[in-house]
């Protein structure tokens, strides 16, 4: 302390940055996003004649986040292939988190995935991943030469069991979303194959099970599972590729600018601006 004209002056600590401009606040943007993994493929076999399970739908994740300036990778998953004696799972889609690909059908128990594949012969369906999808249905067969494959699981419902030894189970229902301005169903399960009878009906945008023949392919970019074959020496269906949609309130953009690379469309829907990706790319926030 110091005295001045009989008064006591208290020395104050120095203030760092005094007189300097205040730091600029970090610009942020709240976004919603839809992630759809690629659907699982349907299979057939060279050594067993039966109804084969439908492919599981790709996982579906709907979430929100806050982003800042930077370049964000957007990955769109591929649909699983329809290989004989065991097809392939779909692959994951991602953007600040991920949604797994759907499980593929095999000659036995369906594979685990975003949603699990249906079982072939008399095997169980694969499990779905919690928060993304559901389990595949069980196959129904008593001997080589018959069988109703289980339906693949979907994002909103499990696949159905094969209802008889010649009829395939229905694929599980997918999830409806309209972030890109169009209401569509994503992540549905493929139908199980029917050996000696009728293939199972797929969920929307997935592949129907084969009726004593080949399973159908799922529609691209909706994450549906491929249909299971209805007999040996035919093919199952391919799973559908996935999708990523990012949206934000148009009024919230402020000083930020948004651009993108890859295969995408952009537009507005109500009070939102969306970026709709059907192949891998980036979202650039500047």
């Amino acid at each position: 302390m110091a005295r001045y004209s009989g008064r006591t002056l208290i020395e104050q600590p120095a203030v760092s940055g005094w007189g300097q401009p205040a730091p600029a606040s970090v610009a942020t943007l709240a976004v919603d996003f839809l992630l759809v993994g690629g659907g699982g493929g349907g299979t057939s076999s060279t050594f067993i004649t039966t109804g084969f399970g439908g492919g599981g739908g790709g996982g579906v994740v709907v979430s929100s986040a806050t982003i800042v300036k930077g370049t964000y990778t957007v990955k769109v998953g591929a649909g699983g292939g329809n290989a004989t004696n065991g097809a392939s799972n779909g692959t994951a889609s991602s953007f600040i988190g991920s949604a797994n690909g759907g499980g593929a059908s095999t000659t036995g128990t369906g594979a685990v995935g975003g949603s699990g594949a249906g079982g072939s012969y008399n095997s169980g369906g694969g499990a779905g991943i919690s928060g993304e999808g559901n389990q595949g249905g069980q196959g129904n067969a008593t001997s080589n030469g018959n069988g109703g494959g289980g339906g693949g699981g979907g994002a909103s419902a499990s696949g159905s069991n094969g209802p008889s030894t010649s009829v395939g189970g229905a694929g599980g229902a997918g999830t409806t979303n309209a972030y890109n301005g169009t209401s569509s169903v994503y992540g549905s399960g493929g139908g199980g194959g029917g050996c000696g009878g009728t293939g199972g009906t797929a969920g929307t945008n997935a592949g129907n099970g084969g009726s004593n023949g080949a399973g159908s392919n799922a529609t691209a970019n909706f994450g549906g599972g491929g249909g299971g074959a209805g007999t040996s020496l035919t093919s199952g269906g391919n799973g559908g590729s996935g999708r990523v949609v990012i949206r934000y309130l148009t009024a919230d953009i402020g000083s930020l600018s948004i651009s993108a690379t890859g295969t995408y469309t952009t537009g507005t829907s109500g009070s939102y601006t969306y970026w709709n990706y059907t192949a891998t790319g980036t979202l650039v926030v500047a």
Side-chain angles (χ1 to χ4, degrees), residues 53-60 101-105 108-120 122-139 149-162 169-175 187-192 201 203 225:
V60 176
S105 66
T109 302
V112 174
S115 284
S120 300
N122 57 4
S123 300
I129 294 173
S130 178
E132 296 189 18
N134 292 281
Q135 182 162 336
Q138 178 157 340
S156 293
S158 297
S160 298
N161 297 336
T175 292
S188 301
T201 301

Side-chain angles (χ1 to χ4, degrees), residues 20-131:
Q20 300 299 315
S25 60
V26 176
T28 62
L29 181 65
V31 297
D32 304 319
F33 54 90
L34 166 71
L35 307 177
V36 182
T43 196
S44 61
S45 173
T46 56
F47 60 85
I48 186 171
T49 300
T50 190
F52 297 90
V60 176
V61 173
V62 179
S63 191
S64 301
T66 299
I67 59 176
V68 296
K69 291 181 179 181
T71 299
Y72 297 82
T73 298
V74 177
K75 181 178 180 293
V76 174
N82 62 351
T84 302
N85 297 329
S88 57
N89 282 18
T91 61
S93 293
S94 61
F95 165 79
I96 313 179
S98 65
N100 289 277
S105 66
T106 73
T107 56
T109 302
V112 174
S115 284
S120 300
Y121 196 54
N122 57 4
S123 300
I129 294 173
S130 178

Side-chain angles (χ1 to χ4, degrees), residues 135-169:
Q135 182 162 336
Q138 178 157 340
N140 187 347
T142 56
S143 64
N144 188 12
N146 65 31
S156 293
S158 297
S160 298
N161 297 336
S164 78
T165 57
S166 62
V167 178

Side-chain angles (χ1 to χ4, degrees), residues 140-258:
N140 187 347
T142 56
S143 64
N144 188 12
N146 65 31
S156 293
S158 297
S160 298
N161 297 336
S164 78
T165 57
S166 62
V167 178
T175 292
T176 301
N177 184 279
Y179 278 3
N180 64 359
T182 301
S183 181
S184 300
V185 179
Y186 300 99
S188 301
C195 182
T198 305
T201 301
T204 304
N205 295 316
N208 290 321
S211 297
N212 226 27
S216 299
N217 296 330
T219 304
N221 293 123
F222 294 92
T231 185
S232 62
L233 303 180
T234 60
S235 61
N238 293 315
S241 50
R243 184 185 300 257
V244 175
V245 184
I246 304 162
R247 72 171 189 174
Y248 50 84
L249 286 166
T250 305
D252 288 351
I253 191 67
S255 62
L256 296 172
S257 64
I258 309 292

